[in-house]
Amino acid sequence: MTTHTVQPESILDALAIELPSWAFGNSGTRFKVFGTLGTPRTIHEKIADAATVHRLTGLAPAVALHIPWDLVDSFTDLKAYAADQGVRLGTVNSNTFQDDEYKFGSLTHTDKTVRQKAIDHHIRCLDIMTEIGSQDLKVWLADGTNYPGQGDIRGRQDRLAESLAAIYQHVGEGQRLVLEYKFFEPAFYVTDVPDWGTSYAHTVALGDRAAVCLDTGHHAPGTNIEFIVAQLLRLGKLGSFDFNSRFYADDDLIVGAADPFQLFRILFEVIRGGGLSPESDLALMLDQCHNVEAKIPGQIRSVLNVQEMTLRAALVDTAALTAAQEAGDVLGANGIFMDAFYTDVRPQLASWRESRGLPADPMRAFAESGYQQQIETDRVGGTQTSWGA
Ligand code: PSV
Ligand code: MN
Ligand code: MN
């Protein structure tokens, strides 16, 4: 049995959380998308906002792109722009859910021309990744059906496997395809990649350059997510996380807001399974939208929540825990676990920040920086970006 124990300080130094470009754009529900003063009009402005989060927290060195939302003429120039801002370009998210042709599916579609269009889109994303030096192609599919009998469940899996294999041939050295699952929405009956088992089966069939992406908001209520984390890490197939939190469905709220204890339990298994050790290539990312709250502080709060629960999880006395578990001391073991969860690490994190030249209180530092007022003055005219555009 391999148990990974870590020094809390080294974990803090290693923690890096990618920010999604779309978190800085407007977002909402099907009822309303509210515009906000200062919202980025371009990917450059999104990157500038993401870099601000990193400058104040030291936690967010990369920005994930969504193609075609973040398409530019020159990705080489965009890479240089990001570097100037102090961040790098990270995961590339594909998008096969917005074109009319995809009404009945993309990689699973019965029409070969539609499947080929979706495959070609992913190959284009891989080319962009090569240009910007990005590791992960994240594939989330909206494919599925709404009514029993509407589609051939099995045939759709076969076509999915074939399409993924065609994309996988183009995954270069140092690159990975991470396949994200989600139990429902937009499809309400069958979703073609609904759960970790399906994602696991497809990524095992593809090979070593494919792994599972676990989005914390993509499970049925009551699902034990930390169990899935433990299992996928054991199997060497947990590629990446999309962090967010939810009360009901795929709410995309601030990670750790709805259930900090769940986040703690997940991060405990991440550490336990070696996901934060130096040799791990597990990628941590946020996948959130800020519909009513301020976006940049929303992202700052999110990465701080992940950091806080990571440190608490690292504080679990694993030697004492193992001893209690092996002695059958149920309440003792649970008590050791809970002691770490209830530890207030905020003063320790403030000192960690100060020792690295970061503001002790990043939320406050942002509020006092004048950045928000500046972007509200500067960003007039043009079209504000939003989820889906
Ligand atoms: C849709 O559910 C979704 O939120 C997935 O989680 C993707 O990661 C994200 O959109 C971006 O495509
Ligand atoms: Mn996601
Ligand atoms: Mn989602």
Side-chain angles (χ1 to χ4, degrees):
M1 185 177 79
T2 330
T3 313
H4 292 268
T5 42
V6 283
Q7 293 308 317
E9 285 287 311
S10 71
I11 279 240
L12 287 182
D13 289 336
L15 198 61
I17 306 151
E18 259 187 59
L19 306 185
S21 69
W22 56 95
F24 299 96
N26 290 322
S27 61
T29 64
R30 60 192 158 129
F31 300 100
K32 173 73 179 163
V33 174
F34 294 101
T36 310
L37 286 176
T39 293
R41 285 97 30 101
T42 62
I43 177 62
H44 294 81
E45 292 176 352
K46 293 181 195 174
I47 290 171
D49 290 357
T52 303
V53 175
H54 185 49
R55 250 193 324 279
L56 296 173
T57 63
L59 290 170
V63 187
L65 303 179
H66 213 298
I67 305 298
W69 303 343
D70 297 324
L71 260 186
V72 287
D73 290 337
S74 166
F75 278 97
T76 305
D77 290 353
L78 193 68
K79 181 183 177 188
Y81 174 79
D84 273 354
Q85 295 287 313
V87 290
R88 64 181 169 76
L89 302 176
T91 302
V92 170
N93 291 255
S94 64
N95 179 332
T96 57
F97 51 85
Q98 286 191 316
D99 297 358
D100 286 341
E101 290 96 322
Y102 297 137
K103 182 172 179 182
F104 295 122
S106 61
L107 296 181
T108 64
H109 204 288
T110 48
D111 183 342
K112 187 162 180 2
T113 15
V114 178
R115 292 204 301 279
Q116 193 58 50
K117 174 182 153 109
I119 292 167
D120 290 344
H121 169 68
H122 285 94
I123 296 171
R124 170 82 181 107
C125 288
L126 284 161
D127 289 342
I128 292 170
M129 285 164 56
T130 304
E131 200 171 334
I132 62 179
S134 147
Q135 174 186 249
D136 289 335
L137 169 65
K138 172 133 67 69
V139 182
W140 171 74
L141 301 171
D143 294 39
T145 61
N146 276 2
Y147 295 97
Q150 181 190 327
D152 174 17
I153 294 176
R154 188 173 167 142
R156 294 177 73 89
Q157 285 301 304
D158 293 343
R159 291 189 292 277
L160 174 60
E162 220 175 82
S163 301
L164 286 172
I167 296 166
Y168 188 72
Q169 284 181 4
H170 297 262
V171 176
E173 211 182 318
Q175 294 181 336
R176 303 187 302 178
L177 182 161
V178 290
L179 182 61
E180 178 175 358
Y181 61 91
K182 170 170 165 170
F183 75 126
F184 89 109
E185 197 205 25
F188 296 115
Y189 169 53
V190 167
T191 292
D192 293 306
V193 189
D195 50 29
W196 73 269
T198 304
S199 183
Y200 176 74
H202 282 290
T203 53
V204 164
L206 290 173
D208 287 347
R209 293 180 187 173
V212 177
C213 168
L214 187 158
D215 182 312
T216 49
H218 285 191
H219 308 84
T223 302
N224 184 333
I225 298 176
E226 60 270 26
F227 177 83
I228 300 171
V229 171
Q231 184 69 290
L232 287 173
L233 281 170
R234 266 190 77 239
L235 297 167
K237 275 292 184 191
L238 185 59
S240 64
F241 271 102
D242 273 5
F243 281 126
N244 49 57
S245 72
R246 54 78 70 85
F247 288 99
Y248 300 104
D250 188 19
D251 304 352
D252 285 339
L253 298 173
I254 288 173
V255 57
D259 188 348
F261 184 40
Q262 181 189 59
L263 180 59
F264 169 86
R265 299 191 311 264
I266 289 172
L267 288 164
F268 176 77
E269 287 305 329
V270 168
I271 296 170
R272 165 74 180 82
L276 293 183
S277 57
E279 61 281 4
S280 166
D281 58 2
L282 179 67
L284 307 182
M285 204 188 110
L286 303 181
D287 178 11
Q288 297 181 177
C289 291
H290 303 295
N291 299 354
V292 294
E293 70 276 29
K295 300 170 198 317
I296 300 171
Q299 291 283 287
I300 295 175
R301 170 67 55 76
S302 303
V303 294
L304 295 179
N305 283 354
V306 175
Q307 185 186 42
E308 193 173 332
M309 287 306 144
T310 302
L311 182 53
R312 291 202 207 181
L315 290 179
V316 173
D317 182 342
T318 46
L321 183 64
T322 306
Q325 288 168 346
E326 289 176 2
D329 182 0
V330 176
L331 294 180
N334 179 241
I336 290 163
F337 201 73
M338 298 311 292
D339 275 349
F341 174 63
Y342 285 124
T343 308
D344 185 358
V345 295
R346 287 173 298 182
Q348 192 180 336
L349 287 173
S351 328
W352 177 85
R353 279 182 207 108
E354 281 178 323
S355 73
R356 274 132 186 103
L358 296 162
D361 180 349
M363 291 292 284
R364 187 164 164 185
F366 178 74
E368 290 172 353
S369 69
Y371 185 88
Q372 185 62 37
Q373 291 75 0
Q374 192 63 52
I375 59 176
E376 289 181 14
T377 311
D378 293 347
R379 296 177 184 174
V380 282
T383 308
Q384 295 191 333
T385 56
S386 59
W387 203 97

